[in-house]
Amino acid sequence: MPVEQFECRPSEVRGKGRSLPVPACTVPLAGVIGRMESEVAVAAITQVCQQDGDDWRDVTSVEFGAMLQAYENSNAILATMHGGILNALNELHHKGLVLIDRDKNPHIISITPQLVELIQ
């Protein structure tokens, strides 16, 4: 399924110049979405896209989980937030900032133009 491309690439995400105060998350988003767990979830999605050709694309729940695990393995604070980050991903879905297709296994996570507008 083709994914909509946006004006910015994943590597160009700057989060309005703010820095995420967690060393494991290399995508700076702090203060953009308003909740650290949501920002970590978006950082994981964005980093998967950045590492796979630096183009926006759908991310599987397996890829998301692997990136989240990498964050958690390198930062003890994030390891305590796992459930909160998964809940935040669902909240982002309910707000229309990401779309989660639960009919597929693994689930497919897509970002929306509204999210890209917030983070670019």
Side-chain angles (χ1 to χ4, degrees):
M1 173 171 89
V3 176
E4 180 177 355
Q5 293 302 305
F6 304 102
E7 289 184 23
C8 73
R9 291 186 149 334
S11 63
E12 297 171 335
V13 168
R14 294 292 176 255
K16 306 201 184 323
R18 298 178 177 117
S19 297
L20 189 61
V22 179
C25 299
T26 60
V27 180
L29 296 171
V32 175
I33 300 171
R35 183 170 172 225
M36 185 173 177
E37 291 88 344
S38 297
E39 291 162 353
V40 171
V42 172
I45 295 166
T46 303
Q47 193 161 359
V48 168
C49 292
Q50 181 180 346
Q51 290 179 349
D52 186 37
D54 200 24
D55 284 318
W56 296 110
R57 66 171 182 81
D58 293 339
V59 172
T60 69
S61 55
V62 172
E63 292 170 313
F64 176 81
M67 185 61 68
L68 188 56
Q69 186 67 47
Y71 285 176
E72 292 173 356
N73 287 342
S74 65
N75 188 290
I77 294 171
L78 289 180
T80 67
M81 298 171 54
H82 185 87
I85 294 167
L86 295 179
N87 288 339
L89 182 63
N90 284 321
E91 290 173 14
L92 292 168
H93 172 75
H94 292 298
K95 291 179 180 178
L97 296 175
V98 299
L99 302 175
I100 303 173
D101 184 350
R102 292 183 172 92
D103 291 335
K104 303 209 189 272
N105 191 11
H107 300 328
I108 303 296
I109 305 164
S110 306
I111 64 165
T112 64
Q114 295 85 351
L115 179 61
V116 173
E117 186 177 322
L118 277 174
I119 65 176
Q120 70 179 355

